[in-house]
Amino acid sequence: MSADRRKLLTGAAAGAVSGLAGLASSLPGGAWAAGSDKPEKEEVRIGFIPLTDCASVVMASVLGFDKKYGVKIIPTKEASWAGVRDKLVNGELDMAHALYGMIYGVHLGVAGPKKDMAVLMTLNNNGQAITLSKKLADKGAVDGASLAKLMATDKREYTFAQTFPTGTHAMWLYYWMAAHGINPLKDAKVITVPPPQMVANMRVGNMDGYCVGEPWNHRAIVDGIGITAVTSQDIWKDHPEKVLASSGDFVKQYPNTARAVIMAVLEAGRWIDAGLQNKLKMADTIAEKAYVNTGVDAINQRILGRYQNGLGRTWDDPNYMKFFNDGAVNFPYLSDGMWFLTQHKRWGLLKDHPDYLAVAKQINQIDLYKQAASALKVNVPKDAMRSSKLIDGVVWDGREAAKYADAFKVKA
């Protein structure tokens, strides 16, 4: 990043930071940087995948919010979610921008090694999508209903990609297909492809569709090779997406460090969501080679809610990717984590029902999050469960999870 741009960004953050100047001294136990609350580990390596939703982790580092709480965040760019998983498990990474369902999968030993994991906070809501190839669109498959119709009449092997077997994108893809009567495991071939490789793979015809985070859906439109069939917020409005995660051991060993990082990333999310100029500066920054490595135009439209589907339709989406939303984004709801487990059971990744609530309570660090949020005067919901209606009209509220998981007609 150029010195001028860094100066510009740091200046932009100064206003946000200055209002917090008195915070450290007013916190329980004295300043974070001294006394009993001093972070035990001052440098924290946080892995990320090149996606728009890594922004709050990156900006916490770029804008210096981390230093405020006595830590130095070192963002490290990773090539795949499997790589992120392995480095979190073996300790090469302290934390990561991670797929919600991946962290739950690791905790239960699904799709890889088993290790106790921790979700520190939710990083973003919304902002993913399902892209169908231009070739499918030319045959009339432009949404779920028309895709189901084409697959029923034009018989062949259809290939769809997600980013990790237990991850969010796999679950959005499966849920959406099943809502339209397509069994993703029986009626299609599903492959795993790292997010930055989605567009290149579609260009050479390796898949008919994929589910991924931005900017790789908008990029397919810009490149003329794909269309947006549905956004993830149309599957589940304000759904949980990426989380800030670590191993369970890390939180036990370095609780002050974990809390300090939560605070820095909360600050960054609040800064991003504070206004148009901040969002555009964020897009400029994360588009750089060190981070997402794409044209800023692939990022800056959808973070403002300006959508197009690649077929001439444009719309303003109020449920675009949010990083803070007055704190509503970041609380690690138990019901959010439990939902991914219900889908892992639905699709045969889990053979038996786990103790859904107990697992979520082990993983989601609600007390630690509440400490960080309360120090920053960030709103915290009264209930650790929330209720949502998904695209098929079914309501999920965290209660009777086993019954919910078993009730789907389309499943493994």
Side-chain angles (χ1 to χ4, degrees):
M1 182 187 298
S2 71
D4 286 350
R5 181 177 285 175
R6 191 176 292 278
K7 193 184 288 182
L8 175 75
L9 284 165
T10 309
V17 175
S18 65
L20 301 162
L23 176 70
S25 58
S26 67
L27 291 170
W32 291 114
S36 62
D37 292 322
K38 180 178 164 65
E40 307 86 353
K41 186 177 170 71
E42 290 175 9
E43 280 198 355
V44 186
R45 292 175 63 81
I46 306 186
F48 72 92
I49 291 285
L51 289 161
T52 303
D53 52 31
C54 74
S56 55
V57 169
V58 169
M59 298 312 288
S61 165
V62 170
L63 296 174
F65 288 122
D66 51 353
K67 293 185 189 68
K68 180 162 194 54
Y69 304 108
V71 289
K72 179 179 167 62
I73 290 173
I74 302 169
T76 79
K77 185 171 173 174
E78 303 298 330
S80 70
W81 290 119
V84 169
R85 173 202 62 197
D86 294 345
K87 289 181 180 183
L88 269 179
V89 166
N90 69 23
E92 280 180 69
L93 291 173
D94 297 314
M95 297 181 186
H97 152 252
L99 297 163
Y100 215 134
M102 178 177 86
I103 298 305
Y104 270 65
V106 173
H107 192 84
L108 293 176
V110 180
K114 184 177 192 296
K115 188 175 176 74
D116 283 358
M117 298 303 287
V119 164
L120 304 174
M121 64 187 288
T122 306
L123 292 174
N124 68 296
N125 290 165
N126 307 326
Q128 324 294 297
I130 293 172
T131 292
L132 296 179
S133 72
K134 211 66 193 282
K135 287 174 189 164
L136 278 194
D138 290 344
K139 290 186 175 181
V142 296
D143 57 19
S146 50
L147 174 66
K149 190 176 169 187
L150 180 70
M151 288 175 73
T153 53
D154 186 3
K155 297 279 191 187
R156 62 173 176 83
E157 183 176 75
Y158 287 81
T159 302
F160 295 89
Q162 39 76 17
T163 63
F164 191 81
T166 61
T168 51
H169 303 115
M171 299 308 122
W172 310 142
L173 178 67
Y174 296 174
Y175 202 99
W176 175 74
M177 292 173 87
H180 292 95
I182 304 165
N183 188 317
L185 306 186
K186 294 173 185 163
D187 303 334
K189 179 184 174 188
V190 179
I191 59 174
T192 303
V193 174
Q197 295 172 28
M198 288 290 190
V199 175
N201 273 279
M202 183 169 273
R203 188 178 286 113
V204 297
N206 285 349
M207 80 265 279
D208 296 288
Y210 60 71
C211 184
V212 75
E214 297 300 342
W216 307 119
N217 299 291
H218 187 69
R219 184 63 193 265
I221 293 172
V222 172
D223 291 2
I225 59 164
I227 62 122
T228 292
V230 69
T231 65
S232 56
Q233 54 266 31
D234 282 339
I235 298 171
W236 176 356
K237 182 188 161 192
D238 293 335
H239 65 80
E241 183 49 45
K242 303 302 186 301
V243 293
L244 181 66
S246 72
S247 68
D249 291 342
F250 185 91
V251 175
K252 286 192 183 87
Q253 200 174 346
Y254 308 112
N256 296 346
T257 305
R259 186 175 49 225
V261 174
I262 293 170
M263 292 173 76
V265 176
L266 260 178
E267 279 299 336
R270 177 152 71 184
W271 179 87
I272 292 166
D273 276 11
L276 175 69
Q277 289 309 312
N278 291 7
K279 287 192 175 75
L280 294 175
K281 285 189 184 99
M282 175 272 275
D284 265 353
T285 305
I286 67 164
E288 291 182 14
K289 195 173 180 183
Y291 305 117
V292 179
N293 191 23
T294 191
V296 72
D297 293 347
I299 297 173
N300 63 15
Q301 295 303 299
R302 287 192 172 185
I303 58 162
L304 301 174
R306 295 175 190 153
Y307 277 75
Q308 53 171 296
N309 69 350
L311 295 164
R313 179 178 166 240
T314 61
W315 70 100
D316 285 328
D317 192 331
N319 305 310
Y320 52 84
M321 187 183 292
K322 290 173 184 167
F323 294 89
F324 183 67
N325 193 18
D326 199 25
V329 167
N330 310 107
F331 185 77
Y333 287 97
L334 297 176
S335 54
D336 285 359
M338 291 163 67
W339 183 85
F340 289 102
L341 293 180
T342 68
Q343 300 307 298
H344 295 168
K345 176 66 175 72
R346 175 186 184 180
W347 301 116
L349 292 156
L350 286 169
K351 289 184 176 60
D352 303 306
H353 288 291
D355 185 335
Y356 292 94
L357 183 58
V359 173
K361 283 179 171 174
Q362 282 169 3
I363 298 174
N364 290 25
Q365 304 295 308
I366 286 182
D367 289 345
L368 201 58
Y369 176 82
K370 281 180 173 174
Q371 291 166 17
S374 126
L376 291 176
K377 298 185 170 51
V378 169
N379 290 328
V380 172
K382 288 186 177 70
D383 195 343
M385 300 283 191
R386 64 175 179 146
S387 176
S388 311
K389 185 190 280 190
L390 275 68
I391 193 172
D392 54 3
V394 178
V395 172
W396 164 245
D397 60 11
R399 290 179 296 195
E400 300 190 86
K403 189 175 166 188
Y404 173 87
D406 286 341
F408 292 102
K409 287 191 186 74
V410 182
K411 52 188 169 186

